Amino acid sequence: MSVLVVNQGAEWTQELYQATFDRAIPDRANPPAGLIAHFGAPAEGGGWQVIDVWESEEHFRRFLQESVIPAAQAIGAPPFDSQVVELYNSLIP
């Protein structure tokens, strides 16, 4: 079942996001297994948010543990919160 993932960090900036992204996905032509869509943007109340669609929660958790967390820790980025919900509907034209 596909999932929608919202990651949000009040202390995150565009620069921290980009540095983590560059380390976690160094080859944009070869995205992580199970990733359907990825969006990064400033959060309304400050900080940064990342919204993804994944084929499954397992795909997301594997990528988080194996790539994102080590990349964020390597640059000293602060922690962030993740919310995972089952995706009900999507439209990708």
Side-chain angles (χ1 to χ4, degrees), residues 27-45:
D27 180 4
R28 307 303 190 270
N30 188 23
L35 180 63
I36 296 171
H38 173 87
F39 306 94
E44 186 175 320

Side-chain angles (χ1 to χ4, degrees), residues 38-89:
H38 173 87
F39 306 94
E44 186 175 320
W48 198 260
Q49 63 185 341
V50 173
I51 300 169
D52 291 340
V53 177
W54 289 86
E55 290 177 11
S56 69
E57 185 170 352
E58 292 77 28
H59 280 102
F60 163 67
R61 297 283 178 204
R62 183 176 311 115
F63 178 66
L64 180 70
Q65 293 300 318
E66 294 176 2
S67 299
V68 176
I69 290 175
Q73 289 175 338
I75 63 167
F80 56 90
D81 296 318
S82 298
Q83 179 184 13
V84 180
V85 295
E86 195 172 289
L87 187 61
Y88 167 72
N89 194 9

